[in-house]
Amino acid sequence: MKILLIYLLSAVYFFLSFSLQTMRAIGIYLIISVGLFFWANMEWKRSFDKRNDEIRRISEEWLEEIPHTQFILSPNCLNSLLINEVTNILYLAQRESLEVEFDIEDIPFHKILEVAIVEDESILSLYPKGGLLGDSLKDRDLEYEGDSEEEDEEEEEEEDEDEDETITKLSLKILVDDLTNPIIEYIFIENEDSLAIDSDEYMEAIKLCNDWYQKLSIIIKRYEHDKVLVRKWQ
């Protein structure tokens, strides 16, 4: 209510300035109007940040009920990954909105088979190399294969566009030993509008994504010798 009143006063001073006769009076009213507008913006941002901090605090308190040694909570507080190094379990907590509780999926470490960093459906990193997630990406790419000259031209065009490259989604995809739900996904960024890869938001997200990719790669490495994955029909 306070913020709405400040915005209203800003509008009142702005429109009153048109009814004044002297430039001095018009200037004073416009300065007051602009000052009130910026004050309202600051109050709105402060209120927004306070609300987000409260939502995050409540979400973290709820997640504290899950035994864990490491965790990450997405900026929108809708997704969380938790690791319990004592019981060797990875937890994936997700929800559709802030008004509902998290749905928890627990995955024993030995059931984690592969992990990939996926950016707009393109795999940036994959462990183990040549895994099933990588095979599925190659299958999608088959329709785009052409002669080498065309591929070279496409690569040159991509290099020219690197400076303006943007994304809409960044996530970790995890392949687990579960026939019902073999691929789970943790989303770091999902925007309707494109996000520049040189933005602070992207830089922070890709750093966290790489950190958790490395953690899961280490977990997979520990159990690799016990796993034999079928790559192709013999």
Side-chain angles (χ1 to χ4, degrees):
M1 188 65 182
K2 172 186 174 182
I3 298 173
L4 183 60
L5 180 59
I6 298 173
Y7 275 123
L8 181 60
L9 284 173
S10 174
V12 168
Y13 273 95
F14 178 77
F15 286 111
L16 281 176
S17 67
F18 292 103
S19 63
L20 301 176
Q21 301 299 320
T22 66
M23 293 298 296
R24 179 183 175 84
I26 293 173
I28 291 173
Y29 270 59
L30 286 177
I31 290 173
I32 293 174
S33 174
V34 172
L36 287 170
F37 179 79
F38 280 107
W39 181 24
N41 282 345
M42 290 173 60
E43 289 295 326
W44 179 85
K45 185 178 185 304
R46 188 179 294 114
S47 174
F48 181 78
D49 291 341
K50 183 178 179 180
R51 178 177 178 273
N52 282 347
D53 290 343
E54 181 65 13
I55 291 172
R56 192 167 190 86
R57 182 188 65 78
I58 294 172
S59 300
E60 289 179 353
E61 285 183 357
W62 196 92
L63 292 171
E64 282 297 328
E65 298 179 8
I66 304 172
H68 64 273
T69 54
Q70 299 184 53
F71 88 106
I72 183 175
L73 178 62
S74 62
N76 59 13
C77 296
L78 297 180
N79 304 284
S80 180
L81 278 178
L82 307 96
I83 288 178
N84 189 328
E85 297 170 83
V86 178
T87 58
N88 291 337
I89 292 178
L90 171 72
Y91 295 96
L92 175 66
Q94 295 180 312
R95 56 183 176 180
E96 294 295 327
S97 70
L98 298 173
E99 288 72 33
V100 300
E101 294 185 350
F102 285 100
D103 292 325
I104 308 297
E105 184 175 357
D106 57 290
I107 306 121
F109 282 2
H110 69 271
K111 287 194 172 184
I112 303 173
L113 305 179
E114 295 176 14
V115 61
I117 298 176
V118 182
E119 191 178 87
D120 288 343
E121 301 305 321
S122 297
I123 293 182
L124 299 185
S125 300
L126 172 65
Y127 187 85
K129 301 297 182 184
L132 298 177
L133 290 172
D135 289 344
S136 65
L137 178 67
K138 291 174 185 175
D139 289 341
R140 290 196 299 271
D141 285 346
L142 283 177
E143 58 182 311
Y144 299 104
E145 288 183 357
D147 58 46
S148 58
E149 290 184 2
E150 291 179 352
E151 290 177 356
D152 290 341
E153 290 177 1
E154 289 176 0
E155 288 177 1
E156 289 177 2
E157 290 176 0
E158 289 175 0
E159 288 176 0
D160 292 338
E161 295 173 357
D162 276 347
E163 295 182 358
D164 301 324
E165 190 174 350
T166 59
I167 68 156
T168 57
K169 187 175 181 180
L170 174 69
S171 65
L172 274 182
K173 284 195 175 181
I174 307 166
L175 181 69
V176 297
D177 188 3
D178 183 349
L179 295 180
T180 303
N181 186 27
I183 298 178
I184 60 176
E185 183 177 27
Y186 179 84
I187 299 171
F188 286 85
I189 295 174
E190 189 171 30
N191 294 332
E192 291 183 2
D193 299 325
S194 297
L195 180 68
I197 63 171
D198 58 354
S199 65
D200 291 340
E201 182 181 350
Y202 176 84
M203 293 297 185
E204 182 179 351
I206 194 65
K207 181 180 182 300
L208 286 172
C209 188
N210 274 306
D211 287 345
W212 279 81
Y213 171 79
Q214 291 167 8
K215 295 178 194 294
L216 295 174
S217 296
I218 291 171
I219 291 172
I220 295 170
K221 185 70 175 178
R222 290 175 182 173
Y223 295 91
E224 256 185 337
H225 62 279
D226 295 327
K227 300 170 184 172
V228 179
L229 297 182
V230 177
R231 302 298 183 196
K232 296 180 180 179
W233 293 105
Q234 300 298 324

